[in-house]
Amino acid sequence: NIQKPTSRGAGMSMDVASAPGDEEELRRRGFNSGGGGMGLVAPKDTLEPSSSSNVVGEVPPRVSTSVYVCLRPFRLPRPLAAVPAMKHVPHFFADVGFGHYLVYLRDDESASTKRVDFGPVGGEVGLRRKQGEVRVRDLDAQGADDVLSLPTVSFVGRAQMGMDDMVALAEAEKSKRVHYELLRSDCRHFVNDVCGQTVGIRNAARHAVRARHAELTRRQMKNALGVHPAPTPADSPVLKFGWSATNVDNAA
């Protein structure tokens, strides 16, 4: 099992359909050069092996689900995605906190993994108030291992709940989030609420931003050795302003 140490764009409507290859694109275009993430390490030895025995009086098996969060670049509308000059724009916005926040759930016994996110129907982000939807997608074993190993995916905690209960809780958020509305009821609010109810981390979106910040810092250090192109400086006032302006904690 993977045991590892996850806002919205501005200036244009980004109502685009989610593609089935999001994880593949994250691995291919995101920070995937190795290195540790910013999240906490999930202690493997704290879990007891599950048992299928139904002996009367026996302690029931412990059921748990590991919870991860991620901030990844939003997907450009197809006309803009074809413009070479726009290639790095989504990554810059993600660096300053404008991107798509997601939750990954992994069953600690079976290692089955699901991706759960919230957004406007048929898209990821938009500037106008729209009908919202909670999306749940199963990941294959290899894809899940690859994604959860990325340094920009952060482990936030372990819920003493089964996968089905976790998914049901996440989908129940739809009753509270009938509409998607940027800065008021968006993917960050969804991530914070789901993680708050399951593992007690009510500012989980900040974990995702910190993981990306840590990877920026690591790449910046490697750049000094000529290993990578220079990223946006991790201590840049632009980044700090962006993180503050996006209110990733949604404290209010």
Side-chain angles (χ1 to χ4, degrees):
N1 293 355
I2 294 294
Q3 300 293 331
K4 180 180 172 295
T6 56
S7 283
R8 292 301 186 201
M12 63 187 77
S13 176
M14 308 301 293
D15 301 337
V16 296
S18 295
D22 284 341
E23 274 61 48
E24 180 181 352
E25 182 173 349
L26 186 62
R27 295 194 299 270
R28 180 171 60 85
R29 296 186 57 193
F31 295 124
N32 57 1
S33 52
M38 188 62 181
L40 306 174
V41 177
K44 184 176 181 179
D45 58 358
T46 60
L47 288 182
E48 297 174 1
S50 297
S51 170
S52 59
S53 173
N54 293 318
V55 177
V56 176
E58 183 174 313
V59 177
R62 179 176 297 179
V63 178
S64 62
T65 302
S66 293
V67 182
Y68 302 78
V69 293
C70 176
L71 164 61
R72 67 164 172 76
F74 54 72
R75 298 174 63 83
L76 287 172
R78 291 180 180 85
L80 290 179
V83 179
M86 298 295 293
K87 178 180 179 180
H88 300 290
V89 171
H91 294 273
F92 170 78
F93 277 123
D95 291 346
V96 299
F98 290 96
H100 194 47
Y101 291 80
L102 312 100
V103 177
Y104 289 97
L105 306 175
R106 166 162 282 202
D107 185 286
D108 289 324
E109 182 177 9
S110 68
S112 62
T113 306
K114 296 180 185 291
R115 187 192 78 189
V116 185
D117 70 313
F118 173 76
V121 173
E124 293 180 351
V125 60
L127 300 181
R128 298 185 303 274
R129 188 171 185 261
K130 294 186 65 176
Q131 183 78 17
E133 65 177 354
V134 174
R135 299 173 285 246
V136 180
R137 177 190 171 201
D138 291 305
L139 301 185
D140 62 78
Q142 183 60 52
D145 288 348
D146 288 348
V147 169
L148 297 184
S149 296
L150 292 175
T152 50
V153 176
S154 179
F155 172 81
V156 294
R158 178 173 285 120
Q160 300 306 313
M161 302 171 63
M163 176 73 81
D164 291 343
D165 291 335
M166 291 284 290
V167 171
L169 185 149
E171 291 180 329
E173 283 289 309
K174 179 63 175 66
S175 63
K176 297 193 302 183
R177 304 191 187 285
V178 177
H179 294 94
Y180 168 90
E181 190 171 358
L182 189 64
L183 302 180
R184 293 178 62 87
S185 180
D186 57 31
C187 59
R188 297 163 305 153
H189 297 80
F190 174 80
V191 166
N192 287 337
D193 283 354
V194 169
C195 293
Q197 293 181 52
T198 57
V199 296
I201 304 297
R202 298 191 177 279
N203 60 345
R206 182 167 290 276
H207 283 253
V209 174
R210 285 175 175 168
R212 196 167 186 90
H213 182 190
E215 178 62 3
L216 275 172
T217 302
R218 189 186 66 80
R219 292 184 69 201
Q220 188 175 352
M221 293 175 64
K222 280 200 170 186
N223 180 63
L225 302 176
V227 179
H228 289 294
T232 305
D235 59 350
S236 166
V238 174
L239 290 187
K240 292 180 179 179
F241 173 78
W243 296 341
S244 173
T246 56
N247 181 28
V248 293
D249 283 338
N250 301 134

